[in-house]
């Protein structure tokens, strides 16, 4: 099967040489996605609004890939401050409450100190 690369238009993709998502066979692999609004490259200050934007970004990429949020099978959350994760739960439930993918959360530094969360997903196509 042909490999399909998907871009969000983010400057990060060109600068670092990666794709926002890769469609390969029946799978969609979405790169770690942050809370930047890629239209104007702004980012909210708080983790809750960043989580919402992350999931909107992921939703848009999955649609471009011919998939959807309901087809997510695996999700990984990365937060610099693990104590902020619980604040994200209502937003996560809003988008994934019925999907309930396999999930992992870990704390690690992110490439920009403004980033409060990064999310990557794997979905069926």
């Amino acid at each position: 099967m042909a490999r399909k690369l998907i871009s969000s238009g983010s400057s990060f993709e060109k600068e670092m040489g990666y794709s926002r998502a890769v469609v390969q066979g029946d799978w969609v692999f979405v790169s770690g996605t942050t809370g930047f609004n890629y239209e104007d490259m702004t980012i909210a200050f708080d983790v809750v609004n960043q989580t919402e934007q992350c999931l909107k970004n992921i939703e848009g990429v999955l649609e471009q890939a011919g998939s959807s949020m309901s087809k997510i099978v695996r999700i990984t959350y990365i937060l610099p401050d693990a104590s902020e994760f619980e604040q994200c739960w209502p937003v996560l439930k809003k988008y994934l409450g019925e999907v309930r993918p396999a999930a992992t959360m870990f704390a690690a530094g992110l490439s920009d100190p403004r980033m409060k969360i990064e999310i990557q997903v794997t979905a069926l196509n």
Side-chain angles (χ1 to χ4, degrees), residues 48-62:
V48 173
N49 284 312
Q50 285 191 27
T51 301
E52 181 89 31
Q53 186 64 53
C54 282
L55 293 169
K56 286 179 183 178
N57 292 343
I58 290 168
E59 186 173 47
V61 168
L62 288 172

Side-chain angles (χ1 to χ4, degrees), residues 27-83:
W27 296 99
V28 181
F29 302 92
V30 180
S31 293
T33 303
T34 63
F36 275 95
N37 178 331
Y38 297 126
E39 291 178 16
D40 59 12
M41 292 308 291
T42 58
I43 191 166
F45 177 74
D46 65 289
V47 70
V48 173
N49 284 312
Q50 285 191 27
T51 301
E52 181 89 31
Q53 186 64 53
C54 282
L55 293 169
K56 286 179 183 178
N57 292 343
I58 290 168
E59 186 173 47
V61 168
L62 288 172
E63 287 174 6
Q64 282 183 276
S67 187
S68 67
M69 297 293 277
S70 67
K71 294 184 176 181
I72 294 173
V73 296
R74 184 81 172 122
I75 190 163
T76 304
Y77 308 101
I78 307 161
L79 291 88
D81 183 352
S83 71

Side-chain angles (χ1 to χ4, degrees), residues 69-118:
M69 297 293 277
S70 67
K71 294 184 176 181
I72 294 173
V73 296
R74 184 81 172 122
I75 190 163
T76 304
Y77 308 101
I78 307 161
L79 291 88
D81 183 352
S83 71
E84 292 187 333
F85 188 49
E86 191 170 350
Q87 296 173 48
C88 306
W89 293 359
V91 177
L92 300 176
K93 185 175 180 179
K94 173 182 162 182
Y95 283 86
L96 302 166
E98 298 301 315
V99 180
R100 297 179 61 186
T104 301
M105 187 287 289
F106 61 91
L110 299 176
S111 64
D112 183 320
R114 296 174 292 173
M115 295 174 186
K116 306 280 186 186
I117 188 167
E118 185 169 341

